Amino acid sequence: MDDVTSNFDLVLSAFWLTIQLLVLSGLASLVIGTVLGAMRVGPVAVLRRAASFYVTVVRNTPLLIVFVFVFVAAPTLGWFISTPFLLKGVIALSLYTSAFVCEVVRSGVNSVPLGQAEAARAIGLPFGGIMTQVILPQAFRATVPPLVSVLIALAKNTSVGAAFGLMEATGRMRYFTNNNADDRGLIFLTFAIGYIIIVETMSFGAHRLERRWRIAR
Amino acid sequence: MSNVLYDAPGPRTIVRYRIYTAVASVLLLAVLGYVLWLMYDKGQFEYELWEPFVTPDFIRALLVDGLVKTLQMAFTSVILAVVFGLVFGVGKMSEHAWVRWPCWAVVEFFRAVPVLLLMVFIFFSYGVGDGFGSYWSVVAALTLYNGSVLAEVFRAGVLAVPRGQAEAAYAIGMRKTQVMMFVLLPQAVKIMLPAIISQCVVALKDTSLGYYIIAPGLTAVGKQIYGEFGNQFQTVIVIAAFYIVANLILTWVATRVQKRLVGEKKPLEVSMIGTTDADTGYTQAGGGV
C-alpha cells in the first residue's frame, strides 16, 4: 500500500485520464447520437433505415470488439495509424455510446404526445416555433434520466481502454497490483472508491437537474 | 402518416422529401463505396485473408472454443447472478435494518464499479497460479455485476406486484416468508423474465472483456486467428457477426416472452444507479449499455 500512497499522483493522473475519456467521448457521443436520433425520427426513410442499422449493429456488438476494430483492425485499412491513444479511445467509446444516445433521443421525442404537436399546429405556430417552444422542451426533459444512465455506463466503460494500453484507472490498478501482491484488496478499494465518486457525482447532479427541470403534466 | 415532429406532407413537401432521399442515398452509397474501394485498395478482399473462416478446422475452433465457451460463460454467470440477485434483492426489502443495509451496500458497490476493474482484481487475487483461472474469474466478475443489477430488477419486480396481493396473503394468516415465496415472487418472476433475458445480452457482451485477462472465448480465438494470418479486419467482422446474431436471437426471445407473459405493457424499468424509484429508470430490454 506504501507504493500507492507514495505514488498517489499516479492514481490521480490515472483518474484524470478516465475523466478526460469520459468528458471527450461523452460530448462526442451526445453530438453524434443526437444527429443519429434526428435521422431516426426524421421524414427521410433512407436515413431512418441507415441510423437504425447502425444502432442495431453497434448495440449488439461488445464494446471490446469496437475497441479491437479501432485499435487493431482499422490500421490495416490505413486509418488511425498515427492517431494518439487518447483520441483512439475517444473514437471507440463515442462510436459505441452514440448508438445508445440515439435510442434515448428517439424515445424522448416519441414520449411527447401527438396532441401537443397538433395543438401547436392548430394555433398556427410555424415549424421552428413548434420545435423550440413545444416539442423539444418536453422531449429534452424526458431524455435527462435515461441519458444520465447512458453516461454513467460510459464512465464505467472507459475502463475497457485499459486493455488497449491506455493508462487510465483500471490499467493503473493492474500496474499497482502487479507490483504489490500483498495489498491487492486495498488497491482495489482505492480505485473502486474513485469510480464510485465519479458515478455518484454524476448520479447526484442528474437528480438535482431532473428535479429542477421537472414540470407538472 | 401523422407524426409529432412533422405534419402529413403535401405535394410540394413530398417532392422535397424525394430530393432529400436522393441526396442521402447518394451520400450513403458514396461512403459505402469509399470503404469498399479502400478495402480493395489495401487488398482486404484477398482470399487468404478470408480463408480461415471457410476452413472447417477454424470454423470448429470458432464454434467450439469460441462461441460455446462464450455462451457457457455468459449463461453460467447469468444463472449464478439470478441466485445472487434473488438473495440480495430480497435482502434489500428485509424489515431488519441489519440485513437491509449490508445488502444495499453490496448491490450499490458492485453496480458502481466497472466490470473490468472487478475482473482484473478477481483474476490477480484468486485466478492466477493455483487459483481458479481466467474462465472462472470472468464468470465471478459477471456474476457479481449482473447479480447486483438483477437484485434491483427483483426488487422492482416484487414492488410491481399489486399491494393487495400481499395484504390478502397476510389476511389469510401467511407468514412473511410464505407471502414472499408463494405470493409475491411467482408473480414477480413473470414480470421480470424479459428483464432477466435482456441481462443475458449484457452478460454475453461483457464476456468479451475476458480478453484483458486472457480468458477463453470468441475474442481469444479471434486474437489467435489474426495473430496467425494477419487478417485483423476480417476477424473483427466475423467475431462481431457472431455476437450480433447471438444477441439478436436473445433480444427476439425476450420480446416474445414479454408479449406472452406481460402483454403490451412497458417492460420493467430499472435505473442504472443511485436513484431507486423505478419510474425514472431506463429500459433494459434489448441490450444494455
Side-chain angles (χ1 to χ4, degrees), chain A residues 61-135:
Chain A
T61 310
L63 175 59
L64 192 110
I65 302 291
V66 179
F67 263 89
V68 174
F69 178 77
V70 171
F71 278 77
V72 182
T76 59
L77 285 187
W79 288 343
F80 314 137
I81 287 175
S82 53
T83 316
F85 271 43
L86 173 66
L87 190 58
K88 278 201 273 194
V90 170
I91 290 170
L93 285 167
S94 311
L95 282 178
Y96 183 76
T97 313
S98 52
F100 293 90
V101 175
C102 168
E103 280 305 276
V104 170
V105 170
R106 188 180 71 106
S107 58
V109 169
N110 285 343
S111 76
V112 180
L114 186 58
Q116 297 281 327
E118 286 171 348
R121 282 174 207 139
I123 60 168
L125 270 178
F127 180 78
I130 299 175
M131 281 298 140
T132 56
Q133 304 294 315
V134 180
I135 312 261

Side-chain angles (χ1 to χ4, degrees), chain A residues 33-56:
Chain A
T34 310
V35 172
L36 282 171
M39 283 162 70
R40 262 205 103 168
V41 293
V44 184
V46 183
L47 292 179
R48 231 171 17 227
R49 276 195 214 112
S52 145
F53 175 77
Y54 178 82
V55 169
T56 310

Side-chain angles (χ1 to χ4, degrees), chain A residues 41-44 46-48 50 56-57 59-62 64-65 68-69 72-73 76-79 96 100 103-104 109 112-114 117-118 121 127 131 135 145-146 149-150 152-153 156-157 159-160 162-164 170-171 173-174 177-178 184-185 188-189 191-192 195-196 199-200 203 207 210, chain B residues 1-7 17 20-21 24-25 28 34-35 38-39 42 44 108-109 111-118 120-121 124-125 128 145 201 204-205 208-209 211-213 219 226 230 232-233 236 239-240 243-244 247-248 251 271-275 277 280-282 285-289:
Chain A
V41 293
V44 184
V46 183
L47 292 179
R48 231 171 17 227
T56 310
V57 166
R59 260 187 10 145
N60 290 302
T61 310
L64 192 110
I65 302 291
V68 174
F69 178 77
V72 182
T76 59
L77 285 187
W79 288 343
Y96 183 76
F100 293 90
E103 280 305 276
V104 170
V109 169
V112 180
L114 186 58
E118 286 171 348
R121 282 174 207 139
F127 180 78
M131 281 298 140
I135 312 261
S149 288
V150 169
I152 285 175
K156 298 194 284 176
N157 281 339
S159 62
V160 178
F164 296 87
T170 302
M173 187 195 83
R174 184 175 177 168
T177 314
N178 280 345
R184 284 189 194 111
F188 171 64
L189 272 184
F191 282 91
Y195 275 109
I196 290 173
V199 165
E200 291 297 338
S203 166
H207 212 68
E210 208 190 311
Chain B
M1 185 190 79
S2 204
N3 185 297
V4 68
L5 288 177
Y6 39 88
D7 223 336
Y17 286 171
Y20 291 156
T21 307
S25 312
L28 287 173
Y34 170 71
V35 171
L38 201 65
M39 281 177 72
K42 302 277 174 187
Q44 296 295 337
E108 288 301 307
F109 180 81
R111 278 205 315 164
V113 170
V115 198
L116 193 63
L117 192 82
L118 202 57
V120 171
F121 168 68
F124 284 103
S125 301
V128 278
Y145 173 67
V201 174
L204 187 59
K205 280 161 67 182
S208 65
L209 296 174
Y211 176 91
Y212 194 36
I213 57 170
T219 36
Y226 72 66
Q232 287 86 344
F233 193 76
V236 167
I239 300 285
Y243 275 107
I244 291 168
N247 283 327
L248 284 179
T251 311
S271 61
M272 278 304 288
I273 194 93
T275 50
D277 39 355
T280 57
Y282 172 54
V289 189

Side-chain angles (χ1 to χ4, degrees), chain B:
Chain B
M1 185 190 79
S2 204
N3 185 297
V4 68
L5 288 177
Y6 39 88
D7 223 336
R12 261 192 293 177
T13 317
I14 289 180
V15 171
R16 211 149 41 90
Y17 286 171
R18 288 222 179 98
I19 297 171
Y20 291 156
T21 307
V23 172
S25 312
V26 168
L27 278 177
L28 287 173
L29 282 176
V31 170
L32 189 70
Y34 170 71
V35 171
L36 288 177
W37 175 81
L38 201 65
M39 281 177 72
Y40 174 77
D41 190 47
K42 302 277 174 187
Q44 296 295 337
F45 287 115
E46 297 292 323
Y47 176 66
E48 294 88 72
L49 294 175
W50 294 92
E51 195 182 3
F53 307 113
V54 290
T55 311
D57 282 347
F58 287 103
I59 295 176
R60 202 174 304 130
L62 274 171
L63 289 178
V64 176
D65 300 332
L67 190 61
V68 171
K69 272 273 169 13
T70 295
L71 291 177
Q72 264 177 4
M73 283 198 280
F75 285 118
T76 316
S77 58
V78 166
I79 289 165
L80 293 174
V82 167
V83 177
F84 182 97
L86 201 60
V87 170
F88 282 87
V90 172
K92 268 184 83 169
M93 287 180 292
S94 167
E95 283 175 5
H96 307 290
W98 59 271
V99 178
R100 199 167 59 234
W101 286 103
C103 288
W104 174 85
V106 166
V107 168
E108 288 301 307
F109 180 81
F110 288 119
R111 278 205 315 164
V113 170
V115 198
L116 193 63
L117 192 82
L118 202 57
M119 210 178 268
V120 171
F121 168 68
I122 292 174
F123 179 65
F124 284 103
S125 301
Y126 309 103
V128 278
D130 299 330
F132 46 59
S134 52
Y135 178 93
W136 287 104
S137 303
V138 175
V139 172
L142 290 184
T143 300
L144 291 174
Y145 173 67
N146 291 310
S148 305
V149 176
L150 285 182
E152 266 315 279
V153 171
F154 277 103
R155 212 182 69 98
V158 168
L159 291 181
V161 176
R163 225 179 38 192
Q165 296 284 327
E167 284 167 357
Y170 282 122
I172 59 168
M174 282 183 156
R175 314 272 316 252
K176 257 192 312 193
T177 325
Q178 287 175 313
V179 173
M180 186 56 88
M181 293 289 291
F182 300 121
V183 179
L184 295 180
L185 278 182
Q187 298 186 58
V189 163
K190 204 177 93 170
I191 312 174
M192 290 174 315
L193 209 51
I196 294 173
I197 298 177
S198 301
Q199 203 58 35
C200 292
V201 174
V202 177
L204 187 59
K205 280 161 67 182
D206 282 349
T207 51
S208 65
L209 296 174
Y211 176 91
Y212 194 36
I213 57 170
I214 325 159
L218 273 174
T219 36
V221 176
K223 202 176 179 184
Q224 279 169 13
I225 290 180
Y226 72 66
E228 194 173 328
F229 293 89
N231 57 349
Q232 287 86 344
F233 193 76
Q234 291 75 4
T235 311
V236 167
I237 290 175
V238 170
I239 300 285
F242 271 109
Y243 275 107
I244 291 168
V245 170
N247 283 327
L248 284 179
I249 292 172
L250 271 176
T251 311
W252 179 77
V253 171
T255 321
R256 285 294 299 268
V257 170
Q258 164 84 18
K259 286 214 174 108
R260 272 306 272 282
L261 295 181
V262 193
E264 295 296 330
K265 271 192 294 182
K266 278 204 305 185
L268 191 67
E269 291 180 342
V270 177
S271 61
M272 278 304 288
I273 194 93
T275 50
T276 40
D277 39 355
D279 58 348
T280 57
Y282 172 54
T283 173
Q284 291 271 327
V289 189

Side-chain angles (χ1 to χ4, degrees), chain A residues 134-163:
Chain A
V134 180
I135 312 261
L136 292 183
Q138 296 185 56
F140 174 69
R141 282 177 174 83
T143 55
V144 171
L147 204 53
V148 172
S149 288
V150 169
L151 290 178
I152 285 175
L154 169 66
K156 298 194 284 176
N157 281 339
T158 55
S159 62
V160 178

